[in-house]
Every structure is written in structure tokens, then in C-alpha cells.
Amino acid sequence: MEAEVRVTVFMELETADTPGGRAPLSAELAYAAADPFAVTMTFHCEGGEVTRWRLDRQLLSDGCRGTAGEGDVRVEPTADQGRGAGVRIELCGMPGPAGRSQGVLHVAAADVTAFLATAHEVVPPGAEQICLDELVASCLGDSESPFGEHAA
């Protein structure tokens, strides 16, 4: 089994500037066994700008079945007329000069659940593990463990 999963999904971004209130958008969803609790969502925007969001894998999974999340990320299932079962992902960014940035995305539930099923094959829910030495080293910005080469 591969230690990493990547898939491109098509979404719609809620916007007041587009007829119908939504603009098409694609994102790459990625999951890696090396970061077992997170899903990374990457958007390639106009002008070569790249935006990444790290979501909790369990939050995304829970949000496919019911409302989940508090704070900066909220996920919930939807049933859009004419679009079928979907997932609504609300992302709230840091406050800036224009106020708090927010984006609301809509994606087909089948795309998200298929991605999550593959991610769950890589690392089943409840089997996630992290190496505390590596976590501390990454927090300190060190490329090596602060506990020496042979840390247990």
C-alpha cells in the first residue's frame, strides 16, 4: 500500500461575483502516513499563487456524515438541488486589512468519501501514530532530533 494519497477534486467556491453564486475551482487533496492526522488541501490560483489548508482527517470524515468543526474549519453534508449529495467546507482565515477572510467550498460527497476511503487504507482510523522526537524537532526548526541520533 502506498504511504501517500493524492487526488484532484473539482469544487465550487461561493462568490457574489459569479452568476449562480458559485465559481468552479479545483483542489488537490493529499494524505500521507507521515502526517497521519491531517489532510492537505492545495489550491493553485491565478498568477501562480498556491494556497494550502491542513484539515483534520477525522473532522473531514465526520463532516461527510453530519455537522463538524468549530472555529476556522467547519464541514457538513449538503443536498444541493440538481447537484446531489455534497459536502460544504467553510474555511476562515486570519484577519487582514479587509477583515477576516472566509471561503465556502462545495464538493461532491462521493469525491471526498472515495478519497477518505483510500486514506483510511493507508492508515486506518485509530491507528495513527506520531514520533514525538520528530515532532519536537520540527517545532524547534531542527532537522535532527534534539535528543541525539539514537533517541528512542
Side-chain angles (χ1 to χ4, degrees), residues 19 23 37 48 51 55 57 84 92 98 107-108 127:
F37 293 100
T51 301
L55 309 175
R57 180 175 75 158
C92 297
V107 59

Side-chain angles (χ1 to χ4, degrees), residues 74-88:
R74 293 182 210 110
V75 184
E76 65 184 346
T78 62
D80 291 340
Q81 286 190 327
R83 293 185 171 111
V87 177
R88 180 184 185 272

Side-chain angles (χ1 to χ4, degrees), residues 9-49:
V9 296
F10 297 96
M11 301 182 169
E12 293 179 315
L13 173 66
E14 283 187 13
T15 175
D17 301 335
T18 305
R22 294 187 183 178
L25 178 70
S26 65
E28 179 186 72
L29 297 179
Y31 177 79
D35 190 6
F37 293 100
V39 169
T40 302
M41 192 165 32
T42 304
F43 302 96
H44 297 276
C45 307
E46 291 181 21
E49 184 178 333

